[in-house]
C-alpha cells in the first residue's frame, strides 16, 4: 500500500502539494491512502479526487484581503478639536 502524506505549515504544505502533483501527473505514481494535516489535509482531498487545477487556482489566487478583513496595522487619525468661537 502506497500513501501520500502532506504536512501542514502554509507555504511548506503548498510546496509539497506541487511535488505531489508532479509525482501523480508526471511520474504516474498511484496512491491508495491520502493523509494530510492542516494545509496538507486541504490538498490531499483534492489530489485524491483528481481536482488538482481547482486547488491550485485557490492557492495561487488568494490575497491578504481574502484572509483578513481588518488590517491590524492601520493607524487611526486623531481628531483635532477646534473651538466653535468665543462664548460671550
Amino acid at each position: 500500500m502506497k500513501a501520500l502524506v502532506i504536512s501542514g505549515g502554509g507555504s511548506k504544505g503548498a510546496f509539497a502539494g506541487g511535488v505531489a502533483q508532479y509525482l501523480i501527473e508526471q511520474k504516474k505514481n498511484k496512491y491508495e491512502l491520502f493523509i494530510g494535516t492542516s494545509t496538507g489535509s486541504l490538498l490531499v482531498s483534492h489530489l485524491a479526487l483528481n481536482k488538482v487545477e481547482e486547488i491550485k487556482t485557490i492557492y495561487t489566487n488568494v490575497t491578504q484581503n481574502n484572509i483578513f478583513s481588518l488590517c491590524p496595522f492601520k493607524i487611526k487619525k486623531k481628531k483635532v478639536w477646534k473651538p466653535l468661537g468665543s462664548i460671550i
Side-chain angles (χ1 to χ4, degrees):
M1 178 180 284
K2 286 177 81 175
L4 177 64
V5 181
I6 299 180
S7 67
S11 60
K12 289 184 272 184
F15 175 80
V19 172
Q21 178 184 5
Y22 169 77
L23 293 173
I24 292 169
E25 293 179 356
Q26 302 297 317
K27 292 294 208 174
K28 306 294 184 202
N29 288 359
K30 302 288 183 197
Y31 300 98
E32 293 82 29
L33 187 61
F34 293 84
I35 302 170
T37 59
S38 191
T39 195
S41 65
L42 300 172
L43 291 166
V44 295
S45 60
H46 284 77
L47 291 168
L49 296 170
N50 200 26
K51 294 186 176 183
V52 176
E53 288 306 315
E54 183 178 321
I55 195 69
K56 186 176 178 181
T57 300
I58 293 168
Y59 268 77
T60 56
N61 290 312
V62 70
T63 65
Q64 185 175 0
N65 290 335
N66 298 120
I67 299 169
F68 302 109
S69 60
L70 297 174
C71 178
F73 304 109
K74 195 176 264 186
I75 299 171
K76 293 182 181 180
K77 293 182 181 179
K78 291 183 180 182
K79 291 184 179 181
V80 178
W81 295 97
K82 295 180 181 178
L84 296 174
S86 59
I87 300 175
I88 302 176

